[in-house]
Short mmCIF file of all heavy atoms in Angstrom, two decimals:
data_model
loop_
_atom_site.label_atom_id
_atom_site.label_comp_id
_atom_site.label_asym_id
_atom_site.label_seq_id
_atom_site.Cartn_x
_atom_site.Cartn_y
_atom_site.Cartn_z
N MET A 1 0.84 -1.21 0.00
CA MET A 1 0.00 -0.01 0.00
C MET A 1 0.87 1.25 0.00
O MET A 1 1.82 1.36 0.77
CB MET A 1 -0.89 0.01 1.25
CG MET A 1 -1.93 -1.07 1.23
SD MET A 1 -3.23 -0.70 0.04
CE MET A 1 -4.14 0.61 0.90
N GLU A 2 0.54 2.18 -0.81
CA GLU A 2 1.27 3.44 -0.82
C GLU A 2 0.61 4.40 0.18
O GLU A 2 -0.57 4.39 0.40
CB GLU A 2 1.22 4.07 -2.20
CG GLU A 2 2.03 3.30 -3.22
CD GLU A 2 2.14 4.11 -4.49
OE1 GLU A 2 2.42 5.30 -4.44
OE2 GLU A 2 1.92 3.53 -5.56
N THR A 3 1.48 5.22 0.76
CA THR A 3 0.94 6.20 1.68
C THR A 3 0.63 7.48 0.91
O THR A 3 1.49 8.28 0.60
CB THR A 3 1.98 6.49 2.79
OG1 THR A 3 3.22 6.82 2.19
CG2 THR A 3 2.18 5.28 3.68
N ARG A 4 -0.60 7.63 0.61
CA ARG A 4 -1.03 8.77 -0.24
C ARG A 4 -0.75 10.12 0.41
O ARG A 4 -0.43 11.06 -0.27
CB ARG A 4 -2.53 8.66 -0.54
CG ARG A 4 -2.87 7.53 -1.46
CD ARG A 4 -4.36 7.38 -1.59
NE ARG A 4 -4.71 6.29 -2.48
CZ ARG A 4 -4.93 6.41 -3.77
NH1 ARG A 4 -4.85 7.61 -4.30
NH2 ARG A 4 -5.25 5.39 -4.50
N LYS A 5 -0.86 10.15 1.70
CA LYS A 5 -0.74 11.46 2.36
C LYS A 5 0.65 12.04 2.25
O LYS A 5 0.82 13.25 2.31
CB LYS A 5 -1.14 11.36 3.84
CG LYS A 5 -0.28 10.39 4.64
CD LYS A 5 -0.77 10.29 6.07
CE LYS A 5 0.06 9.28 6.84
NZ LYS A 5 -0.44 9.11 8.22
N ASN A 6 1.65 11.19 2.09
CA ASN A 6 3.03 11.68 1.98
C ASN A 6 3.50 11.80 0.54
O ASN A 6 4.67 12.06 0.30
CB ASN A 6 3.96 10.77 2.75
CG ASN A 6 3.77 10.89 4.24
OD1 ASN A 6 3.37 11.95 4.74
ND2 ASN A 6 4.02 9.81 4.96
N ARG A 7 2.61 11.59 -0.37
CA ARG A 7 3.03 11.61 -1.77
C ARG A 7 3.29 13.04 -2.22
O ARG A 7 2.37 13.83 -2.38
CB ARG A 7 1.87 11.02 -2.63
CG ARG A 7 2.33 10.51 -3.98
CD ARG A 7 2.84 9.11 -3.89
NE ARG A 7 3.50 8.71 -5.12
CZ ARG A 7 2.86 8.25 -6.19
NH1 ARG A 7 1.57 8.08 -6.16
NH2 ARG A 7 3.53 7.91 -7.27
N LYS A 8 4.56 13.34 -2.37
CA LYS A 8 4.93 14.70 -2.78
C LYS A 8 4.81 14.84 -4.28
O LYS A 8 5.05 13.92 -5.03
CB LYS A 8 6.36 14.99 -2.35
CG LYS A 8 6.53 15.12 -0.86
CD LYS A 8 7.95 15.49 -0.51
CE LYS A 8 8.15 15.61 0.98
NZ LYS A 8 9.54 15.99 1.30
N PHE A 9 4.47 16.02 -4.69
CA PHE A 9 4.40 16.25 -6.13
C PHE A 9 5.00 17.60 -6.48
O PHE A 9 5.23 18.47 -5.64
CB PHE A 9 2.96 16.20 -6.63
CG PHE A 9 2.09 17.31 -6.08
CD1 PHE A 9 2.02 18.53 -6.72
CD2 PHE A 9 1.36 17.10 -4.92
CE1 PHE A 9 1.26 19.54 -6.19
CE2 PHE A 9 0.58 18.13 -4.40
CZ PHE A 9 0.52 19.35 -5.04
N LEU A 10 5.24 17.74 -7.77
CA LEU A 10 5.81 18.96 -8.32
C LEU A 10 4.90 19.41 -9.46
O LEU A 10 4.47 18.57 -10.27
CB LEU A 10 7.20 18.60 -8.86
CG LEU A 10 8.28 19.67 -8.93
CD1 LEU A 10 8.56 20.29 -7.61
CD2 LEU A 10 9.52 19.05 -9.53
N GLY A 11 4.60 20.68 -9.47
CA GLY A 11 3.81 21.20 -10.59
C GLY A 11 4.74 21.47 -11.77
O GLY A 11 5.79 22.08 -11.62
N VAL A 12 4.36 20.98 -12.93
CA VAL A 12 5.21 21.08 -14.11
C VAL A 12 4.43 21.56 -15.28
O VAL A 12 3.27 21.16 -15.50
CB VAL A 12 5.83 19.70 -14.45
CG1 VAL A 12 6.64 19.80 -15.76
CG2 VAL A 12 6.72 19.20 -13.34
N LYS A 13 5.03 22.45 -16.06
CA LYS A 13 4.44 22.80 -17.33
C LYS A 13 5.22 22.08 -18.44
O LYS A 13 6.43 22.21 -18.54
CB LYS A 13 4.55 24.31 -17.57
CG LYS A 13 3.94 24.72 -18.90
CD LYS A 13 4.16 26.20 -19.13
CE LYS A 13 3.55 26.59 -20.47
NZ LYS A 13 3.90 27.99 -20.81
N PHE A 14 4.48 21.30 -19.21
CA PHE A 14 5.08 20.64 -20.34
C PHE A 14 4.97 21.57 -21.54
O PHE A 14 3.88 21.80 -22.07
CB PHE A 14 4.40 19.32 -20.65
CG PHE A 14 4.81 18.21 -19.72
CD1 PHE A 14 4.14 18.01 -18.53
CD2 PHE A 14 5.85 17.37 -20.06
CE1 PHE A 14 4.51 16.98 -17.66
CE2 PHE A 14 6.23 16.34 -19.19
CZ PHE A 14 5.57 16.16 -17.99
N ASN A 15 6.12 22.11 -21.94
CA ASN A 15 6.11 23.04 -23.07
C ASN A 15 5.79 22.36 -24.38
O ASN A 15 5.37 23.01 -25.33
CB ASN A 15 7.47 23.75 -23.17
CG ASN A 15 7.58 24.83 -22.10
OD1 ASN A 15 6.61 25.42 -21.67
ND2 ASN A 15 8.78 25.09 -21.67
N CYS A 16 5.98 21.03 -24.45
CA CYS A 16 5.69 20.33 -25.67
C CYS A 16 4.22 20.49 -26.08
O CYS A 16 3.88 20.59 -27.25
CB CYS A 16 6.05 18.85 -25.55
SG CYS A 16 5.30 18.02 -24.13
N CYS A 17 3.35 20.50 -25.06
CA CYS A 17 1.91 20.60 -25.35
C CYS A 17 1.25 21.77 -24.63
O CYS A 17 0.03 21.90 -24.67
CB CYS A 17 1.21 19.29 -24.97
SG CYS A 17 1.80 17.87 -25.87
N GLN A 18 2.07 22.58 -23.98
CA GLN A 18 1.54 23.73 -23.26
C GLN A 18 0.48 23.32 -22.23
O GLN A 18 -0.61 23.92 -22.16
CB GLN A 18 0.96 24.76 -24.25
CG GLN A 18 2.00 25.29 -25.23
CD GLN A 18 3.08 26.11 -24.52
OE1 GLN A 18 2.79 26.97 -23.72
NE2 GLN A 18 4.33 25.78 -24.79
N VAL A 19 0.78 22.30 -21.46
CA VAL A 19 -0.16 21.86 -20.44
C VAL A 19 0.53 21.80 -19.08
O VAL A 19 1.72 21.52 -18.99
CB VAL A 19 -0.77 20.47 -20.75
CG1 VAL A 19 -1.69 20.56 -21.97
CG2 VAL A 19 0.29 19.44 -20.98
N TYR A 20 -0.25 22.04 -18.05
CA TYR A 20 0.24 21.93 -16.70
C TYR A 20 -0.25 20.63 -16.08
O TYR A 20 -1.37 20.22 -16.30
CB TYR A 20 -0.30 23.08 -15.86
CG TYR A 20 0.18 24.42 -16.27
CD1 TYR A 20 -0.51 25.14 -17.24
CD2 TYR A 20 1.32 24.98 -15.71
CE1 TYR A 20 -0.07 26.40 -17.65
CE2 TYR A 20 1.75 26.23 -16.09
CZ TYR A 20 1.05 26.94 -17.05
OH TYR A 20 1.47 28.17 -17.46
N THR A 21 0.65 20.02 -15.31
CA THR A 21 0.26 18.80 -14.62
C THR A 21 1.13 18.63 -13.37
O THR A 21 2.01 19.43 -13.12
CB THR A 21 0.31 17.56 -15.52
OG1 THR A 21 -0.32 16.47 -14.88
CG2 THR A 21 1.76 17.20 -15.84
N ARG A 22 0.88 17.57 -12.65
CA ARG A 22 1.69 17.28 -11.51
C ARG A 22 2.47 16.01 -11.76
O ARG A 22 1.94 15.07 -12.35
CB ARG A 22 0.81 17.05 -10.27
CG ARG A 22 0.13 18.30 -9.77
CD ARG A 22 -0.81 17.95 -8.66
NE ARG A 22 -1.46 19.14 -8.11
CZ ARG A 22 -2.36 19.13 -7.12
NH1 ARG A 22 -2.69 17.99 -6.58
NH2 ARG A 22 -2.90 20.24 -6.69
N ILE A 23 3.71 15.97 -11.30
CA ILE A 23 4.49 14.75 -11.33
C ILE A 23 4.78 14.37 -9.88
O ILE A 23 4.96 15.25 -9.03
CB ILE A 23 5.75 14.85 -12.17
CG1 ILE A 23 6.71 15.90 -11.66
CG2 ILE A 23 5.39 15.10 -13.63
CD1 ILE A 23 8.03 15.91 -12.40
N TYR A 24 4.83 13.08 -9.62
CA TYR A 24 4.91 12.61 -8.23
C TYR A 24 6.26 11.98 -7.93
O TYR A 24 6.89 11.38 -8.82
CB TYR A 24 3.81 11.61 -7.96
CG TYR A 24 2.45 12.27 -7.93
CD1 TYR A 24 1.70 12.44 -9.07
CD2 TYR A 24 1.96 12.75 -6.72
CE1 TYR A 24 0.46 13.06 -9.03
CE2 TYR A 24 0.74 13.37 -6.67
CZ TYR A 24 -0.01 13.53 -7.84
OH TYR A 24 -1.23 14.15 -7.80
N MET A 25 6.64 12.05 -6.68
CA MET A 25 7.88 11.42 -6.26
C MET A 25 7.80 9.91 -6.40
O MET A 25 6.75 9.31 -6.11
CB MET A 25 8.16 11.80 -4.80
CG MET A 25 9.52 11.35 -4.32
SD MET A 25 9.95 11.98 -2.69
CE MET A 25 10.47 13.65 -3.13
N ASN A 26 8.89 9.32 -6.83
CA ASN A 26 8.88 7.87 -6.98
C ASN A 26 9.05 7.19 -5.62
O ASN A 26 9.22 7.84 -4.58
CB ASN A 26 9.99 7.43 -7.97
CG ASN A 26 11.39 7.71 -7.45
OD1 ASN A 26 11.60 8.11 -6.32
ND2 ASN A 26 12.38 7.46 -8.28
N ARG A 27 8.97 5.89 -5.64
CA ARG A 27 8.98 5.15 -4.38
C ARG A 27 10.24 5.34 -3.58
O ARG A 27 10.22 5.30 -2.35
CB ARG A 27 8.80 3.64 -4.68
CG ARG A 27 7.42 3.31 -5.15
CD ARG A 27 7.37 1.87 -5.62
NE ARG A 27 6.02 1.52 -6.10
CZ ARG A 27 5.02 1.13 -5.31
NH1 ARG A 27 5.22 1.01 -4.03
NH2 ARG A 27 3.85 0.84 -5.84
N ASN A 28 11.36 5.51 -4.29
CA ASN A 28 12.63 5.63 -3.59
C ASN A 28 12.91 7.06 -3.09
O ASN A 28 13.84 7.28 -2.34
CB ASN A 28 13.79 5.21 -4.49
CG ASN A 28 13.70 3.73 -4.85
OD1 ASN A 28 13.23 2.94 -4.03
ND2 ASN A 28 14.15 3.38 -6.05
N GLY A 29 12.11 7.99 -3.56
CA GLY A 29 12.31 9.37 -3.16
C GLY A 29 13.48 10.03 -3.84
O GLY A 29 13.99 11.03 -3.34
N THR A 30 13.92 9.47 -4.96
CA THR A 30 15.10 10.01 -5.63
C THR A 30 14.74 10.97 -6.78
O THR A 30 15.51 11.81 -7.14
CB THR A 30 15.96 8.88 -6.22
OG1 THR A 30 15.15 8.11 -7.11
CG2 THR A 30 16.50 8.00 -5.10
N HIS A 31 13.58 10.77 -7.33
CA HIS A 31 13.18 11.58 -8.46
C HIS A 31 11.68 11.87 -8.40
O HIS A 31 10.92 11.08 -7.84
CB HIS A 31 13.43 10.87 -9.81
CG HIS A 31 14.86 10.64 -10.13
ND1 HIS A 31 15.62 9.66 -9.56
CD2 HIS A 31 15.69 11.30 -11.00
CE1 HIS A 31 16.86 9.72 -10.05
NE2 HIS A 31 16.91 10.70 -10.91
N TYR A 32 11.31 12.97 -9.00
CA TYR A 32 9.92 13.17 -9.36
C TYR A 32 9.75 12.65 -10.81
O TYR A 32 10.58 12.91 -11.66
CB TYR A 32 9.52 14.65 -9.34
CG TYR A 32 9.43 15.22 -7.95
CD1 TYR A 32 10.49 15.91 -7.38
CD2 TYR A 32 8.27 15.06 -7.21
CE1 TYR A 32 10.40 16.43 -6.10
CE2 TYR A 32 8.17 15.59 -5.93
CZ TYR A 32 9.24 16.28 -5.39
OH TYR A 32 9.14 16.79 -4.13
N GLU A 33 8.72 11.88 -11.00
CA GLU A 33 8.55 11.27 -12.32
C GLU A 33 7.10 11.43 -12.80
O GLU A 33 6.17 11.31 -12.01
CB GLU A 33 8.85 9.77 -12.27
CG GLU A 33 10.28 9.46 -11.95
CD GLU A 33 10.56 7.97 -11.83
OE1 GLU A 33 9.63 7.21 -11.57
OE2 GLU A 33 11.72 7.58 -12.05
N GLY A 34 6.97 11.72 -14.05
CA GLY A 34 5.64 11.84 -14.61
C GLY A 34 5.70 12.04 -16.09
O GLY A 34 6.78 12.16 -16.68
N GLY A 35 4.55 12.03 -16.71
CA GLY A 35 4.49 12.15 -18.14
C GLY A 35 3.53 13.24 -18.56
O GLY A 35 2.57 13.56 -17.85
N CYS A 36 3.75 13.77 -19.74
CA CYS A 36 2.84 14.72 -20.34
C CYS A 36 1.50 14.04 -20.57
O CYS A 36 1.45 12.96 -21.16
CB CYS A 36 3.41 15.24 -21.65
SG CYS A 36 2.30 16.32 -22.54
N PRO A 37 0.40 14.66 -20.09
CA PRO A 37 -0.90 14.02 -20.22
C PRO A 37 -1.40 13.93 -21.67
O PRO A 37 -2.31 13.16 -21.95
CB PRO A 37 -1.82 14.89 -19.39
CG PRO A 37 -1.14 16.20 -19.29
CD PRO A 37 0.34 15.90 -19.34
N ARG A 38 -0.79 14.69 -22.54
CA ARG A 38 -1.27 14.67 -23.93
C ARG A 38 -0.43 13.76 -24.81
O ARG A 38 -0.96 12.98 -25.57
CB ARG A 38 -1.27 16.09 -24.51
CG ARG A 38 -2.35 16.95 -23.86
CD ARG A 38 -2.54 18.20 -24.67
NE ARG A 38 -3.53 19.06 -24.01
CZ ARG A 38 -3.79 20.30 -24.40
NH1 ARG A 38 -3.16 20.82 -25.43
NH2 ARG A 38 -4.70 21.02 -23.77
N CYS A 39 0.90 13.92 -24.74
CA CYS A 39 1.74 13.16 -25.68
C CYS A 39 2.55 12.05 -24.99
O CYS A 39 3.17 11.24 -25.62
CB CYS A 39 2.68 14.10 -26.44
SG CYS A 39 4.01 14.76 -25.47
N GLY A 40 2.52 12.02 -23.64
CA GLY A 40 3.19 10.95 -22.94
C GLY A 40 4.67 11.13 -22.72
O GLY A 40 5.35 10.23 -22.26
N ARG A 41 5.16 12.29 -23.08
CA ARG A 41 6.57 12.56 -22.90
C ARG A 41 6.92 12.44 -21.42
O ARG A 41 6.24 13.02 -20.55
CB ARG A 41 6.85 14.00 -23.38
CG ARG A 41 8.28 14.39 -23.36
CD ARG A 41 8.38 15.76 -24.07
NE ARG A 41 9.76 16.18 -24.22
CZ ARG A 41 10.43 16.89 -23.30
NH1 ARG A 41 9.85 17.25 -22.21
NH2 ARG A 41 11.67 17.23 -23.54
N LEU A 42 7.98 11.71 -21.11
CA LEU A 42 8.33 11.45 -19.73
C LEU A 42 9.30 12.50 -19.21
O LEU A 42 10.18 12.97 -19.93
CB LEU A 42 8.95 10.08 -19.60
CG LEU A 42 8.02 8.89 -19.87
CD1 LEU A 42 8.80 7.59 -19.82
CD2 LEU A 42 6.88 8.88 -18.88
N LEU A 43 9.13 12.83 -17.97
CA LEU A 43 10.02 13.79 -17.30
C LEU A 43 10.44 13.23 -15.96
O LEU A 43 9.61 12.73 -15.20
CB LEU A 43 9.28 15.12 -17.11
CG LEU A 43 10.08 16.23 -16.44
CD1 LEU A 43 11.24 16.69 -17.31
CD2 LEU A 43 9.19 17.40 -16.12
N ARG A 44 11.72 13.30 -15.72
CA ARG A 44 12.22 12.91 -14.40
C ARG A 44 12.99 14.09 -13.83
O ARG A 44 13.82 14.68 -14.52
CB ARG A 44 13.17 11.71 -14.49
CG ARG A 44 12.54 10.45 -15.03
CD ARG A 44 13.55 9.33 -15.05
NE ARG A 44 13.62 8.64 -13.76
CZ ARG A 44 14.66 7.95 -13.33
NH1 ARG A 44 15.75 7.88 -14.06
NH2 ARG A 44 14.62 7.34 -12.18
N VAL A 45 12.76 14.41 -12.58
CA VAL A 45 13.47 15.47 -11.93
C VAL A 45 14.17 14.90 -10.73
O VAL A 45 13.55 14.37 -9.83
CB VAL A 45 12.51 16.61 -11.49
CG1 VAL A 45 13.26 17.71 -10.77
CG2 VAL A 45 11.73 17.15 -12.69
N ARG A 46 15.48 15.01 -10.71
CA ARG A 46 16.25 14.46 -9.62
C ARG A 46 16.03 15.26 -8.35
O ARG A 46 15.97 16.47 -8.36
CB ARG A 46 17.75 14.48 -10.00
CG ARG A 46 18.63 13.79 -8.96
CD ARG A 46 20.04 13.75 -9.48
NE ARG A 46 20.96 13.41 -8.40
CZ ARG A 46 21.48 14.30 -7.56
NH1 ARG A 46 21.20 15.54 -7.70
NH2 ARG A 46 22.30 13.92 -6.60
N VAL A 47 15.88 14.55 -7.24
CA VAL A 47 15.73 15.19 -5.96
C VAL A 47 17.10 15.22 -5.26
O VAL A 47 17.70 14.18 -5.03
CB VAL A 47 14.71 14.43 -5.07
CG1 VAL A 47 14.59 15.11 -3.71
CG2 VAL A 47 13.37 14.35 -5.75
N ASP A 48 17.54 16.41 -4.95
CA ASP A 48 18.80 16.52 -4.25
C ASP A 48 18.65 15.95 -2.83
O ASP A 48 17.73 16.31 -2.11
CB ASP A 48 19.18 18.01 -4.16
CG ASP A 48 20.59 18.18 -3.59
OD1 ASP A 48 20.82 17.84 -2.41
OD2 ASP A 48 21.45 18.66 -4.34
N PRO A 49 19.51 15.02 -2.43
CA PRO A 49 19.35 14.35 -1.12
C PRO A 49 19.47 15.33 0.06
O PRO A 49 18.97 15.03 1.14
CB PRO A 49 20.47 13.32 -1.10
CG PRO A 49 21.43 13.75 -2.13
CD PRO A 49 20.66 14.51 -3.18
N ILE A 50 20.12 16.44 -0.15
CA ILE A 50 20.29 17.41 0.93
C ILE A 50 19.24 18.53 0.84
O ILE A 50 18.53 18.83 1.79
CB ILE A 50 21.70 18.01 0.91
CG1 ILE A 50 22.74 16.93 1.17
CG2 ILE A 50 21.83 19.12 1.97
CD1 ILE A 50 24.16 17.36 0.92
N ASN A 51 19.15 19.10 -0.32
CA ASN A 51 18.31 20.27 -0.46
C ASN A 51 16.91 19.96 -0.99
O ASN A 51 16.03 20.81 -0.95
CB ASN A 51 18.96 21.28 -1.43
CG ASN A 51 20.27 21.78 -0.87
OD1 ASN A 51 20.38 22.08 0.32
ND2 ASN A 51 21.29 21.86 -1.70
N GLY A 52 16.74 18.73 -1.50
CA GLY A 52 15.46 18.42 -2.15
C GLY A 52 15.31 19.24 -3.42
O GLY A 52 16.30 19.64 -4.03
N VAL A 53 14.10 19.43 -3.80
CA VAL A 53 13.82 20.28 -4.96
C VAL A 53 13.33 21.62 -4.44
O VAL A 53 12.34 21.70 -3.72
CB VAL A 53 12.75 19.65 -5.88
CG1 VAL A 53 12.43 20.61 -7.02
CG2 VAL A 53 13.30 18.32 -6.43
N ASN A 54 14.08 22.65 -4.78
CA ASN A 54 13.79 23.94 -4.18
C ASN A 54 12.50 24.56 -4.68
O ASN A 54 11.86 25.34 -4.01
CB ASN A 54 14.95 24.90 -4.45
CG ASN A 54 16.19 24.51 -3.66
OD1 ASN A 54 16.06 24.02 -2.55
ND2 ASN A 54 17.35 24.71 -4.23
N THR A 55 12.17 24.26 -5.89
CA THR A 55 11.01 24.87 -6.49
C THR A 55 9.80 23.94 -6.38
O THR A 55 9.94 22.73 -6.37
CB THR A 55 11.26 25.27 -7.93
OG1 THR A 55 10.10 25.90 -8.44
CG2 THR A 55 11.58 24.04 -8.79
N ARG A 56 8.66 24.51 -6.31
CA ARG A 56 7.43 23.75 -6.34
C ARG A 56 6.83 23.73 -7.72
O ARG A 56 5.76 23.20 -7.95
CB ARG A 56 6.39 24.33 -5.37
CG ARG A 56 6.83 24.24 -3.91
CD ARG A 56 6.87 22.81 -3.41
NE ARG A 56 5.56 22.21 -3.39
CZ ARG A 56 5.31 20.91 -3.30
NH1 ARG A 56 6.32 20.10 -3.23
NH2 ARG A 56 4.09 20.46 -3.26
N PHE A 57 7.52 24.41 -8.61
CA PHE A 57 6.97 24.52 -9.96
C PHE A 57 8.10 24.68 -10.94
O PHE A 57 9.08 25.35 -10.67
CB PHE A 57 6.05 25.74 -10.07
CG PHE A 57 5.34 25.84 -11.35
CD1 PHE A 57 4.15 25.13 -11.53
CD2 PHE A 57 5.86 26.57 -12.40
CE1 PHE A 57 3.51 25.20 -12.75
CE2 PHE A 57 5.20 26.61 -13.61
CZ PHE A 57 4.03 25.94 -13.79
N LEU A 58 7.99 24.01 -12.06
CA LEU A 58 9.02 24.17 -13.08
C LEU A 58 8.46 23.91 -14.47
O LEU A 58 7.33 23.45 -14.59
CB LEU A 58 10.22 23.25 -12.81
CG LEU A 58 9.99 21.75 -12.71
CD1 LEU A 58 10.07 21.12 -14.10
CD2 LEU A 58 11.05 21.12 -11.83
N GLU A 59 9.32 24.18 -15.46
CA GLU A 59 8.89 23.94 -16.82
C GLU A 59 9.80 22.90 -17.46
O GLU A 59 11.00 22.91 -17.22
CB GLU A 59 8.98 25.23 -17.67
CG GLU A 59 7.99 26.26 -17.23
CD GLU A 59 7.95 27.43 -18.23
OE1 GLU A 59 8.42 27.25 -19.36
OE2 GLU A 59 7.41 28.48 -17.88
N SER A 60 9.20 22.02 -18.23
CA SER A 60 10.00 21.10 -19.02
C SER A 60 10.58 21.87 -20.21
O SER A 60 10.08 22.90 -20.58
CB SER A 60 9.14 19.95 -19.52
OG SER A 60 8.25 20.41 -20.49
N VAL A 61 11.62 21.37 -20.77
CA VAL A 61 12.23 22.02 -21.92
C VAL A 61 11.77 21.37 -23.21
O VAL A 61 11.27 20.26 -23.19
CB VAL A 61 13.77 22.01 -21.85
CG1 VAL A 61 14.23 22.93 -20.76
CG2 VAL A 61 14.27 20.60 -21.64
ZN1 ZN B 101 3.37 16.81 -24.59
#
């Protein structure tokens, strides 16, 4: 069972399709991972073990 309450997410804008969505932290807590809801393009954002991810929002390139 996953603990939904601790599921961290990052707001991301996918410039490929000009859409906003959320990507969620993976099980290991090492990356935020998610895909563009329109074209399925995958995005992984590494989580710094010390600082984490400083921003709550970012744009894909
Ligand atoms: Zn897309």
Side-chain angles (χ1 to χ4, degrees):
M1 292 288 286
E2 291 189 47
T3 52
R4 290 174 181 267
K5 61 183 178 183
N6 290 331
R7 202 84 190 277
K8 292 183 180 180
F9 66 87
L10 206 58
V12 175
K13 180 185 179 186
F14 282 88
N15 284 331
C16 54
C17 299
Q18 299 295 311
V19 292
Y20 295 88
T21 191
R22 291 173 178 181
I23 61 174
Y24 290 88
M25 187 172 281
N26 67 6
R27 289 171 181 276
N28 295 328
T30 57
H31 293 78
Y32 287 97
E33 296 178 334
C36 175
R38 291 193 183 173
C39 72
R41 185 172 186 271
L42 294 175
L43 179 67
R44 297 181 86 203
V45 179
R46 185 174 166 275
V47 179
D48 188 296
I50 296 170
N51 297 317
V53 175
N54 291 325
T55 183
R56 295 292 295 163
F57 187 85
L58 58 88
E59 293 190 17
S60 70
V61 290

